[in-house]
Amino acid sequence: MNKLAVFIVSDSVGETGELVTKAAISQFRPGMQDTFLKRFPHVESLEQLNEIVHLATEQGAIIVYTLVKEEMRSYIQHLSDNMIVPAIDLMGPLMGKLEETLRIEPVEEPGLVRKLDDDYFKKIEAIEFAVKYDDGRDPRGLLLADIVLVGVSRTSKTPLSQYLAHKRFKVANVPLVPEVEPPEELFLVDSQKCFGLVISPEKLNNIRKERLIALGLNDGANYAKLDRINEEIVHFRKVVDRIGCHVIDVTNRAVEETANDILHRIQLSKQ
């Protein structure tokens, strides 16, 4: 058989067109060995389409295209029909059916899939970061973080870290205990990205008692006593004053509210 030439034309990188073309050709063994694929990425003008179709005519190639703009799709199909070049539209029919079903016009912006993929991987990276540097496990993460949270036990540091990670922020958090000196890295962190979480002693007393009961322990343990809690909060105040960081009262506040407060303050600090 003669060698088959396939031109893959895209207004993005052309990965979708190439993958679909390879999947189809693989059904015609030994077609893959007798096929030449040429990718034309980032095609943005009618002039480029004109050159590609003329080249396809000279080389006897098939054109496979994934173009999101209706004007570009119509032009290459019209030109290909006139010059008797086989052309397959991989994107148009599906976009047309989705527009008909959803009753929403497509934005026709090339490369959105890649942007969405990048966004997804940034989120996964942030989530993994939050897990790795949760609860002060590795102080080195404090200097790599976008946001640093500090507070006494049971002030929602971990759930807040995960919530912010889903917003693609790398978050590290450090528990503060009077008997343990905070890591030196904490005092090297930019105070604008450090947030101290504080809660009323009474509220924390109730939360810690419930936590002990859930663990099957005596709720009268020192961990839940008001004197101990007040001692921890005094220590907390000394540390955050030394850092010079923001302090947010999380008493009776949902994680989402605290997160929005933090993101708002970060945005203001960048202005």
Side-chain angles (χ1 to χ4, degrees):
M1 63 177 285
N2 294 327
K3 197 170 185 68
L4 173 67
V6 181
F7 288 1
I8 298 159
V9 183
S10 175
D11 43 23
S12 185
V13 295
E15 285 181 347
T16 301
E18 184 169 340
L19 286 171
V20 173
T21 300
K22 285 181 176 179
I25 292 172
S26 69
Q27 300 300 313
F28 298 90
R29 297 186 180 279
M32 288 300 291
Q33 288 77 22
D34 300 301
T35 303
F36 166 70
L37 301 181
K38 181 172 178 57
R39 203 192 292 188
F40 294 85
H42 306 295
V43 175
E44 299 176 349
S45 69
L46 301 182
E47 289 76 16
Q48 286 174 288
L49 293 179
N50 200 41
E51 292 173 5
I52 291 167
V53 174
H54 277 83
L55 186 61
T57 304
E58 295 173 4
Q59 298 188 11
I62 291 174
I63 294 175
V64 174
Y65 58 95
T66 54
L67 300 166
V68 298
K69 293 183 179 179
E70 197 270 337
E71 178 192 16
M72 300 279 280
R73 294 197 304 271
S74 296
Y75 184 81
I76 193 172
Q77 193 62 59
H78 176 72
L79 195 60
S80 298
D81 289 344
N82 284 345
M83 301 189 72
I84 317 177
V85 174
I88 300 97
D89 181 2
L90 294 183
M91 190 73 74
L94 179 55
M95 286 180 62
K97 184 57 68 176
L98 288 172
E99 181 178 0
E100 179 185 325
T101 304
L102 299 172
R103 297 180 183 178
I104 300 172
E105 291 187 1
V107 296
E108 295 191 348
E109 182 181 339
L112 284 181
V113 169
R114 181 165 290 275
K115 289 179 183 177
L116 288 171
D117 285 346
D118 288 345
D119 186 68
Y120 171 77
F121 287 116
K122 284 179 182 177
K123 182 187 292 187
I124 295 300
E125 184 181 1
I127 292 171
E128 290 176 346
F129 186 96
V131 171
K132 183 176 181 180
Y133 298 109
D134 182 46
D135 211 30
R137 288 177 188 165
D138 186 348
R140 291 174 297 181
L142 298 173
L143 301 177
L144 302 173
D146 300 316
I147 297 171
V148 174
L149 306 176
V150 294
V152 301
S153 174
R154 313 311 298 174
T155 48
S156 301
K157 295 185 299 299
T158 296
L160 185 54
S161 295
Q162 285 296 323
Y163 185 90
L164 290 167
H166 278 81
K167 301 288 185 181
R168 298 173 302 285
F169 288 91
K170 294 180 180 178
V171 186
N173 71 75
V174 180
L176 297 180
V177 186
E179 294 78 15
V180 179
E181 189 66 24
E184 290 185 11
E185 289 86 349
L186 183 58
F187 302 104
L188 299 175
V189 170
D190 179 357
S191 61
Q192 292 299 309
K193 67 177 185 180
C194 183
F195 297 85
L197 307 179
V198 71
I199 189 170
S200 75
E202 295 75 21
K203 180 69 174 179
L204 187 54
N205 175 247
N206 291 330
I207 291 172
R208 288 188 175 183
K209 281 184 176 180
E210 290 175 6
R211 176 61 176 164
L212 289 171
I213 292 170
L215 293 173
L217 301 172
N218 183 354
D219 65 355
N222 191 47
Y223 172 73
K225 289 181 178 178
L226 273 173
D227 287 347
R228 171 61 184 183
I229 288 171
N230 284 319
E231 181 187 353
E232 290 184 26
I233 291 177
V234 168
H235 174 68
F236 163 83
R237 292 288 184 186
K238 288 179 180 177
V239 173
V240 295
D241 284 349
R242 183 178 165 190
I243 300 169
C245 67
H246 308 277
V247 176
I248 299 176
D249 191 334
V250 298
T251 307
N252 298 321
R253 250 188 170 190
V255 167
E256 294 88 343
E257 291 179 87
T258 307
N260 288 335
D261 190 351
I262 289 172
L263 296 179
H264 177 67
R265 291 173 190 242
I266 288 176
Q267 188 175 14
L268 288 177
S269 70
K270 293 180 178 179
Q271 291 178 353

